[in-house]
């Protein structure tokens, strides 16, 4: 990624938020929306623009679960770890996904297609266990149902 | 949008809303909350849209939030002039042509309704709205009314009064059901002190977890010194297994906004914030639209309803941190910092957001406010039990037949929720316990089924009300694993600021992991209990202080399960992987080979049409063999 380009984009985003220090989280959210993760260059640029130390930007970026400092794959696979999903065996879904994608929780597949993460309750407890992929919620998922869903994403049939 | 500054303006907006709630022809409403969409409501909506277009029918099609009946979603309701409102559950796009056919014919064929509604209460207006005029059409006479359906029978809807009825994007429909009338009453006919007095009289306690009296909080904030004050809506519903606030924000965003404006007027605030979880995109979208509409109708901004009162609301999105549900952490997050709590001997009502007096309440608390103002504190205080008044919304989930959102009067016996409303446990399994209060709460065993569900009784039982998650567990849920689950959750969600929570909870997690892995030692339970006392006393915030609750309550009521894990190296519920074994019954196995094909570790062997066997040394205990066996030949112990 070109450093100058990232800096220019970051500047634009910071400006949109009125260079307001208290909007740091919203600024980081917008940057992540743009790049799918928080590039180091952007974090440095945010610090400069808002005139706050990079250590504080880093503190906030690492405190919140939804921020990622490493690039994510095209599809974010989030296994719900809410209580309702847990008692319905969501941990088996996580294991199956780890085996099928051949990555560990928090990692991205070598082809940059999938990033596997755990999420703290999506609030769809009535459909437990659920997995959210690229924003789509897959309800009542079974271990057996996983290969087909992954295949659909790989081939572009996402619904 | 037309400016609303007088009671007449409100009435004319309400009339418009009435027309769209009850149009002359046929109206079809699809429940499109997040859970509805995930069950396929969007496809049903599209199918309805194209069927109506194709047949050139004069039908109106709209969206609504969730009625709470999640176990039969997608839910579609049909409203026809002078007839009862009729609900159809488990709709699919395939069934749409049939449904349309039935409506056109005025008959019931293959698609049976779940319930009908002849009339309903508009609670904020003290009115009844009749759908039905005259007698019930013959084809609907056998269909139960909504209030006869066991799921609804014992429910009283105050906070969720409009969810699943109005279009959340329509301010007029909200007004038609009594919305913003309370605001008008508050701003034109009540003093700030009068409002606070009424809220105190209502006995309303915070619905977010702690149960602090709302009116008292408002009073302290009003009395606090400072020209600039804030009100905040805590929509950071972080408890896993709880989603009632999502439902209210998605299905009835104006109720929260109206509550906040009234609260702001009462405490003297000029600015408000709604802090919503990042995981709830639809709630953010609907709230954003509602705020914009309220603003362009002059219900937010300068000179609200033609008075001198100014107030506006901003939305702030969380970034995924459980601890931000704690009020001081939430305020730190709003200031753009890491969400770390601070000691609370300095009250947030005096020194809150940016060190200014701040009144924070939870979504459900705010949603109750307009009804209290409209019907009076005394009316509200008569619902429920003396120290826990009003209703509480619960998300009834887990191993229960009727999964969904339920709003019940406080003080209802737990068994009424589980059996009457929830319809009992699926698959003939034995009911074991209910977990309430999320990671800060505890488990209530089946033996305490007569417990009154209110703030104090739950607290005495070792649990707490929390935000309202109610997770039902059957004999196949391991209580030690559940305690480990919550503690593991808290380890990764601890903000790390204070040592008892950061290190203590981590050590408890290690011990629980050992117990679940079959490495538990005699004395571990006592160690857990001793550590719990230290963590409870020494933690900075309420989340740390309540962190040991899931462990303590499971030890209190399910000590035998801990002992089975530690002494006999056995998991009675057959959940903890290190302690269980999958086996194939030679008698029941037909040798269909399905399990052998599905086994990810290729540990099942056997000849076709002959009994198969599991190689225990290679088994990873994923349970897929048992899931896929059609002959119930595989057991786990």
């Amino acid at each position: 990624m070109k450093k100058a380009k990232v800096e220019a984009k970051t500047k634009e985003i910071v400006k949109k938020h009125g260079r307001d220090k208290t909007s740091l989280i919203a600024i980081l959210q917008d940057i992540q929306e743009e790049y799918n993760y928080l590039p180091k260059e952007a974090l440095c640029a945010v610090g400069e623009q808002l005139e706050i130390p990079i250590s504080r930007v880093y503190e906030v970026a690492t405190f919140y679960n939804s921020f990622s400092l490493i690039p994510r794959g095209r599809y974010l696979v989030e296994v719900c770890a809410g209580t309702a999903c847990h008692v319905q065996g969501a941990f088996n879904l996580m294991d199956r996904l780890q085996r099928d994608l051949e990555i560990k929780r928090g990692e991205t597949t070598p082809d940059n297609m999938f990033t596997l993460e755990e999420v703290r309750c999506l609030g769809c407890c009535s459909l437990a266990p659920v997995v959210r992929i690229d924003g789509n919620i897959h309800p009542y998922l079974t271990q057996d149902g996983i290969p087909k869903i992954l295949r659909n994403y790989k081939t572009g049939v996402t619904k | 949008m037309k400016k609303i500054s007088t009671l007449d303006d409100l009435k004319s907006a309400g009339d418009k809303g009435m027309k769209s709630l009850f149009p002359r022809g046929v109206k079809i409403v699809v429940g499109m909350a997040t859970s509805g969409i995930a069950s396929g409501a969007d496809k049903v909506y599209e199918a309805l849209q194209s069927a109506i277009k194709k047949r050139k029918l004069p039908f109106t099609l709209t969206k609504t939030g969730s009625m709470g009946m999640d176990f039969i979603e997608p839910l579609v309701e049909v409203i026809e002039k002078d007839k009862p409102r009729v609900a159809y559950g488990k709709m699919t796009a395939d069934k749409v042509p049939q449904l349309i056919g039935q409506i056109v014919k005025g008959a019931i064929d293959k698609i049976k309704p779940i319930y009908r509604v002849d009339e309903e209460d508009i609670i904020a207006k003290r009115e009844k709205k009749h759908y039905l005029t005259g007698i019930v059409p013959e084809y609907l006479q056998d269909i139960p009314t909504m209030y006869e359906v066991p799921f609804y029978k014992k429910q009283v809807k105050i906070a969720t009064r409009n969810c699943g009825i109005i279009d959340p994007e329509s301010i007029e429909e909200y007004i038609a059901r009594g919305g913003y009338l309370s605001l008008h009453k508050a701003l034109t006919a009540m003093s700030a002190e009068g409002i606070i007095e009424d809220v105190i009289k209502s006995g309303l306690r915070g619905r977010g977890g702690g149960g602090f009296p709302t009116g008292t909080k408002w009073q302290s904030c009003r009395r606090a010194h400072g020209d600039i004050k804030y009100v905040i809506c805590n929509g950071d519903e972080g408890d896993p297994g709880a989603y009632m606030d999502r439902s209210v924000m998605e299905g009835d965003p104006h109720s929260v906004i109206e509550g906040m404006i009234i609260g702001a007027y009462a405490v003297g605030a000029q600015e408000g914030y709604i802090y919503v979880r990042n995981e709830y995109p639809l709630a953010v979208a609907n709230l954003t639209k509602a705020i914009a509409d309220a603003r362009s109708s002059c219900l937010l901004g300068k000179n609200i309803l033609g008075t001198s009162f100014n107030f506006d609301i901003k939305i702030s999105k969380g970034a995924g941190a459980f601890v931000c549900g704690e009020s001081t952490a939430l305020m730190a997050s709003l200031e753009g910092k890491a969400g770390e709590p601070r000691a609370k001997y300095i009250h947030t009502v005096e020194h809150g957001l940016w060190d200014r007096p701040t009144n924070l309440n939870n979504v459900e608390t705010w949603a109750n406010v307009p009804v209290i103002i409209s019907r009076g504190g005394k009316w509200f205080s008569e619902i429920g039990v003396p120290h826990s008044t009003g209703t509480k919304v619960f998300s009834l989930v887990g191993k229960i037949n009727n999964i969904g959102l339920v709003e019940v009067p406080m003080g209802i016996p737990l068994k009424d929720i589980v059996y009457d409303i929830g319809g009992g446990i699926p698959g003939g399994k034995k009911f074991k316990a209910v977990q309430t209060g999320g990671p800060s709460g505890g488990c209530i065993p089946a033996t305490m089924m007569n417990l009154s569900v209110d703030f104090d009784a739950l607290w005495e039982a070792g649990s707490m009300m929390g935000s309202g998650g109610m997770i039902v567990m059957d004999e196949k849920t391991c209580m030690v694993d559940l305690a480990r689950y919550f503690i593991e959750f808290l380890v990764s969600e601890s903000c790390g600021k204070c040592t008892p929570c950061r290190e203590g909870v981590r050590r408890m997690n290690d011990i629980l992991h050992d117990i679940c892995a079959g490495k538990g030692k005699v004395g571990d339970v006592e160690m857990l209990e001793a550590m719990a006392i230290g963590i409870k006393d020494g933690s900075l915030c309420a989340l740390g202080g309540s962190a040991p609750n899931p462990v303590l309550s499971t030890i209190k009521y399910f000590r035998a399960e801990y002992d089975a894990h530690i002494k006999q190296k056995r998991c009675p519920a057959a959940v903890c992987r290190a302690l269980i074994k999958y086996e194939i019954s030679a008698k029941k196995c037909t040798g269909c080979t399905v399990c052998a094909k599905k086994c990810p570790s290729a540990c099942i062997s056997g000849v076709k049409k002959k009994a198969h066997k599991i190689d225990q040394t290679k088994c990873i205990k994923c349970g897929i063999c048992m899931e896929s066996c059609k002959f119930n030949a595989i057991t786990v112990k």
Side-chain angles (χ1 to χ4, degrees), chain A residues 44-61:
Chain A
C44 295
V46 168
E48 266 169 42
Q49 290 292 314
L50 293 180
E51 294 175 356
I52 52 176
I54 177 74
S55 58
R56 243 207 75 206
V57 181
Y58 186 76
E59 182 198 12
V60 170

Side-chain angles (χ1 to χ4, degrees), chain A residues 66 81 92 95 120 123 143-144, chain B residues 246 277 319 485 492 577 598:
Chain A
S66 67
N92 280 326
D95 286 355
R120 297 295 184 208
Q143 297 185 59
D144 233 9
Chain B
R246 167 175 76 67
R277 277 184 90 200
Y485 160 81
S492 59
R577 277 189 190 152
K598 296 221 161 138

Side-chain angles (χ1 to χ4, degrees), chain A residues 20-26 28-30 32-33 50 52 56-67 72 78 80-96 98-100 105 118-128 130 132 135-147 158-159, chain B residues 34-36 38-39 42-43 70-71 73 238-243 246 275 277-281 317-324 329 332-340 354 395 397-400 403-404 435 471-473 476-477 481-482 484-486 488-490 492-493 495 575 577 598 600 620-624 627-628:
Chain A
D20 180 6
K21 289 183 178 74
T22 63
S23 298
L24 179 58
I25 295 168
L28 296 182
Q29 280 167 338
D30 282 0
Q32 179 147 300
E33 179 84 31
L50 293 180
I52 52 176
R56 243 207 75 206
V57 181
Y58 186 76
E59 182 198 12
V60 170
T62 51
F63 183 85
Y64 294 97
N65 290 328
S66 67
F67 295 130
R72 281 168 161 157
E78 296 162 290
C80 181
T83 321
C85 288
H86 177 78
V87 299
Q88 301 283 13
F91 46 89
N92 280 326
L93 298 180
M94 176 54 97
D95 286 355
R96 176 73 189 234
Q98 295 191 94
R99 283 199 304 273
D100 284 9
R105 188 177 129 188
E118 190 178 86
V119 62
R120 297 295 184 208
C121 196
L122 292 167
C124 294
C125 313
S126 54
L127 312 166
V130 302
R132 182 165 71 179
N136 301 315
I137 287 162
H138 296 272
Y140 310 116
L141 202 55
T142 58
Q143 297 185 59
D144 233 9
I146 286 171
T158 53
K159 283 259 168 169
Chain B
T34 299
S35 45
S39 331
D42 49 348
K43 285 180 196 124
D70 293 352
F71 59 104
E73 281 192 319
D239 280 4
Y243 62 101
R246 167 175 76 67
Y275 188 91
R277 277 184 90 200
N278 191 38
E279 287 82 356
Y280 291 172
K317 266 197 305 176
F322 172 70
V323 69
C324 287
S333 184
L334 274 178
E335 292 172 8
K337 300 177 194 154
E340 288 178 356
W354 290 300
S395 61
V397 298
K399 312 276 185 75
I400 184 111
I403 293 179
Q435 206 278 344
I471 296 106
V472 182
M473 287 161 287
K476 291 283 166 200
T477 311
D481 173 71
L482 190 82
R484 182 203 55 79
Y485 160 81
F486 279 118
E488 194 177 271
F489 178 97
L490 290 159
S492 59
E493 292 297 332
C495 77
V575 173
R577 277 189 190 152
K598 296 221 161 138
I620 57 166
K621 291 161 190 173
C622 69
I624 200 158
E627 264 176 36
S628 58

Side-chain angles (χ1 to χ4, degrees), chain B residues 109-332:
Chain B
D109 191 14
K110 279 186 184 148
I111 303 175
K112 287 256 182 299
I114 306 281
Y115 59 80
R116 62 165 217 261
V117 185
D118 299 346
E119 55 172 33
E120 71 188 4
D121 283 325
I122 300 184
I123 207 153
K125 261 166 98 177
R126 210 181 306 203
E127 270 176 20
K128 262 191 190 340
K129 176 72 199 173
H130 299 274
Y131 288 93
L132 175 73
T133 52
I135 55 158
V136 182
E138 208 185 302
Y139 71 101
L140 289 173
Q141 278 175 2
D142 294 340
I143 307 302
T145 68
M146 188 169 112
Y147 303 102
E148 288 165 356
V149 172
F151 183 77
Y152 286 119
K153 212 172 188 172
K154 295 196 170 164
Q155 293 200 46
V156 175
K157 295 195 176 227
I158 297 176
T160 58
R161 59 195 176 275
N162 296 322
C163 291
I165 294 174
I166 62 165
D167 177 352
E169 293 186 23
S170 164
I171 189 169
E172 279 112 0
E173 289 190 8
Y174 176 72
I175 295 171
R177 289 182 56 86
Y180 291 111
L181 283 175
S182 304
L183 177 66
H184 186 270
K185 181 179 171 187
L187 295 190
T188 58
M190 292 172 90
S191 65
E193 288 80 9
I195 294 170
I196 292 172
E197 213 170 279
D198 221 15
V199 176
I200 291 176
K201 205 189 283 169
S202 76
L204 178 68
R205 291 170 70 175
R207 299 303 196 235
F212 192 81
T214 306
T216 312
K217 199 185 221 179
W218 289 18
Q219 195 167 49
S220 309
C221 190
R222 169 145 200 98
R223 286 178 184 163
H225 294 287
D227 296 333
I228 299 172
K229 292 179 184 178
Y230 301 102
V231 290
I232 297 175
C233 170
N234 184 350
D236 191 57
E237 186 173 48
D239 280 4
Y243 62 101
M244 41 286 137
D245 293 347
R246 167 175 76 67
S247 197
V248 172
M249 290 187 283
E250 284 179 0
D252 194 16
H254 284 287
S255 67
V256 180
I257 295 167
E258 188 183 0
M260 285 179 77
I261 309 172
I262 295 169
Y265 174 71
V267 304
Q270 302 80 19
E271 264 180 69
Y273 290 87
I274 305 181
Y275 188 91
V276 192
R277 277 184 90 200
N278 191 38
E279 287 82 356
Y280 291 172
L282 186 61
V284 173
N286 287 359
L287 279 167
T288 308
K289 166 96 169 67
I291 289 173
D293 287 351
R295 204 177 281 141
S296 59
S297 312
C298 296
L299 293 167
L300 271 178
K302 287 220 156 75
N303 302 110
I304 294 173
L305 283 172
T307 66
S308 60
F309 179 56
N310 308 326
F311 174 70
D312 212 336
I313 296 176
K314 281 187 198 141
I315 292 186
S316 194
K317 266 197 305 176
F322 172 70
V323 69
C324 287
E326 201 278 343
S327 59
T328 57
L330 187 150
M331 288 172 201

Side-chain angles (χ1 to χ4, degrees), chain B residues 575-635:
Chain B
V575 173
C576 297
R577 277 189 190 152
L579 306 175
I580 58 170
K581 219 161 117 181
Y582 283 89
E583 275 172 339
I584 301 176
S585 147
K587 268 189 197 158
K588 286 188 183 169
C589 179
T590 61
C592 73
T593 76
V594 166
C595 60
K597 278 182 197 138
K598 296 221 161 138
C599 175
S601 58
C603 71
I604 303 179
S605 59
V607 185
K608 212 173 170 179
K609 293 191 179 166
K610 291 254 166 72
H612 280 49
K613 250 192 148 164
I614 299 174
D615 179 353
Q616 298 295 342
T617 57
K618 283 202 280 179
C619 177
I620 57 166
K621 291 161 190 173
C622 69
I624 200 158
C625 51
M626 201 163 107
E627 264 176 36
S628 58
C629 180
K630 289 197 181 86
F631 308 98
N632 290 326
I634 300 174
T635 52

